[in-house]
Amino acid sequence: MYKVDIQPEEKQAVAIEARRNREKQRQSRIFNVRNRVIGVDVEALRSQVQEQRWRADAEKAREAAFDASRVQCDLVAQLLEREEVQRARQASQQIQAFRDREQRPQDRQDFDLYDPERLQKEKLAQAGNLDTCYGPSSMQHFDGEDVGQSSRQRLLREQSRWELSRQREEHRQARKDERYSEILDDKKRIEMDLRAAHLEDLEAACRKAMDVTMANYNRAQALEVEEQRRLARQREQDDNLTEIYNHLTSDMLTENPSVSSNPLASHKVSLEHWKGMSPEQIAAIQKEQAAQRLEAQHRRQAEQRLEAEWVFQEKLAARAACQLEYEQQVRTQKLRRDMDAYNKQLAQEQRAQKDYLDKVVYTNEPTAHFYLQFSTSSR
């Protein structure tokens, strides 16, 4: 009920964006003329390995947090299911015990009509006649003769008193059951409230774990970006130092003898022929400087695009977190509305049952005339 997972579409979008970033970084390394001509950038390879390790560790921590959240939610669901099954079993046992105790067949008013032992309980009208001359087939009862009228009336009065006392006891038991049902409803409502509070605590703990995992991941990403910037500055500084060294050791500043060499004697220098650098050399230097400025500009633009992409990703993450929180609030409100509707339905059912017992079941009380209509004929 209460799992908090990233949707498959979002996972796929994150994976696609990561592959695009890796492809852009790989293209920037491959299309870099300096690295391709001079050799392999070992520091860049090491930074890539370290980046992959950080990314793998962050992904493992994130998956571990999600696994712990799922296990906790499954345990809560199993606990709730066991409580529901136990509550249903107890209710069934109480109902069956009430039927066995209060709804026995022999306690019914018309039990004497379908009593399986009725014929065995009947006695002859002249059961007190001990004369041995009357056999089993002798005429001991005549039409219109009522020998046991007084005893029967006494039994009817006793049965009426017993029925009245039983009805009073049933009314008293019904009121007691109603009070007990109200107490159970109150306890159930309190239990549902406590369970909702417990679920909210679990949800807050899961959200806190997700926030910690996201913070660790963002911190690792920030460290990775900072490390990449430091390596970029280090490479730029190394390139500048290399360029300065190349300029200092170039033929222009060191006045290479080959420039003013004698065609007849290459090991000699003709000082009178030295007139400075040629326009081609000056143009080449200016062209190289322009290329360097263009490369620096492209590098700054790439850094600005990367920074804008990071800001966009942070906004997307914040929007997704807000959306998850809103959906969780909607689910919590729906759960509370369902609980209120369920409690209201239980109250209506109990009131309907009480009205049915008071207005339908216990309205027709038997009178003495009802009992006198039985055993009035010979059939």
Side-chain angles (χ1 to χ4, degrees), residues 41-238:
D41 190 356
V42 180
E43 294 296 330
L45 295 178
R46 291 179 181 175
S47 65
Q48 290 177 4
V49 173
Q50 188 67 22
E51 177 185 357
Q52 292 178 358
R53 291 178 181 175
W54 287 344
R55 188 179 294 108
D57 294 339
E59 187 66 23
K60 288 181 181 178
R62 181 169 170 272
E63 292 296 334
F66 286 156
D67 292 338
S69 176
R70 282 193 289 270
V71 170
Q72 193 171 10
C73 292
D74 292 339
L75 292 177
V76 172
Q78 293 177 5
L79 179 60
L80 295 177
E81 185 176 0
R82 286 197 297 269
E83 290 179 358
E84 189 67 25
V85 171
Q86 185 176 4
R87 190 180 297 105
R89 186 183 297 110
Q90 290 178 359
S92 299
Q93 291 177 358
Q94 292 176 359
I95 292 173
Q96 187 62 34
F98 177 80
R99 290 174 178 175
D100 296 340
R101 185 179 66 254
E102 302 296 338
Q103 297 180 354
R104 298 183 302 174
Q106 54 269 24
D107 295 337
R108 296 180 181 177
Q109 299 177 359
D110 54 351
F111 179 72
D112 55 345
L113 298 178
Y114 55 87
D115 187 2
E117 298 179 358
R118 180 171 57 85
L119 297 177
Q120 298 179 4
K121 294 178 181 179
E122 290 180 353
K123 295 182 180 180
L124 296 177
Q126 300 292 337
N129 192 356
L130 301 178
D131 193 354
T132 58
C133 63
Y134 297 104
S137 61
S138 300
M139 296 295 292
Q140 300 186 22
H141 177 70
F142 298 94
D143 190 15
E145 185 179 3
D146 190 3
V147 180
Q149 180 179 1
S150 59
S151 61
R152 186 176 66 258
Q153 290 179 353
R154 184 176 63 257
L155 290 176
L156 290 174
R157 288 192 297 270
E158 292 178 357
Q159 188 175 3
S160 298
R161 288 194 299 272
W162 181 81
E163 286 292 336
L164 291 175
S165 63
R166 187 178 65 84
Q167 290 179 3
R168 287 195 296 270
E169 183 65 25
E170 287 180 355
H171 283 292
R172 187 163 50 254
Q173 186 65 29
R175 290 192 295 271
K176 185 186 298 183
D177 293 339
E178 183 178 359
R179 290 194 298 270
Y180 181 71
S181 177
E182 293 177 355
I183 294 173
L184 288 180
D185 292 338
D186 295 337
K187 291 183 177 180
K188 185 175 181 181
R189 192 178 298 107
I190 294 173
E191 182 182 358
M192 296 296 289
D193 294 338
L194 293 176
R195 187 181 304 169
H198 182 60
L199 292 176
E200 290 180 356
D201 295 338
L202 292 178
E203 180 183 355
C206 294
R207 190 184 299 111
K208 184 177 181 182
M210 290 182 62
D211 293 339
V212 171
T213 304
M214 185 61 68
N216 294 331
Y217 178 75
N218 293 333
R219 192 179 299 109
Q221 292 291 330
L223 292 175
E224 179 182 355
V225 172
E226 185 64 26
E227 182 66 18
Q228 291 179 357
R229 292 178 179 175
R230 187 187 66 80
L231 293 175
R233 290 193 298 269
Q234 184 67 29
R235 287 195 298 270
E236 184 178 0
Q237 185 177 3
D238 294 340

Side-chain angles (χ1 to χ4, degrees), residues 203-315:
E203 180 183 355
C206 294
R207 190 184 299 111
K208 184 177 181 182
M210 290 182 62
D211 293 339
V212 171
T213 304
M214 185 61 68
N216 294 331
Y217 178 75
N218 293 333
R219 192 179 299 109
Q221 292 291 330
L223 292 175
E224 179 182 355
V225 172
E226 185 64 26
E227 182 66 18
Q228 291 179 357
R229 292 178 179 175
R230 187 187 66 80
L231 293 175
R233 290 193 298 269
Q234 184 67 29
R235 287 195 298 270
E236 184 178 0
Q237 185 177 3
D238 294 340
D239 294 340
N240 294 333
L241 292 176
T242 303
E243 185 177 358
I244 293 172
Y245 176 77
N246 291 333
H247 281 296
L248 292 175
T249 58
S250 63
D251 296 337
M252 180 183 66
L253 297 179
T254 57
E255 295 183 358
N256 191 359
S258 62
V259 177
S260 59
S261 61
N262 192 349
L264 299 178
S266 58
H267 61 282
K268 294 181 180 181
V269 178
S270 298
L271 299 178
E272 65 276 10
H273 294 162
W274 174 254
K275 296 182 180 180
M277 292 183 295
S278 63
E280 291 80 6
Q281 293 176 345
I282 295 174
I285 291 173
Q286 293 176 353
K287 183 178 179 181
E288 182 66 23
Q289 290 177 352
Q292 291 176 0
R293 287 194 297 271
L294 182 61
E295 182 181 357
Q297 183 179 2
H298 290 170
R299 185 166 54 252
R300 287 193 297 271
Q301 292 177 357
E303 291 178 356
Q304 292 176 358
R305 288 195 298 271
L306 181 60
E307 187 69 23
E309 183 65 24
W310 275 110
V311 172
F312 179 70
Q313 291 296 331
E314 290 177 358
K315 291 182 180 179

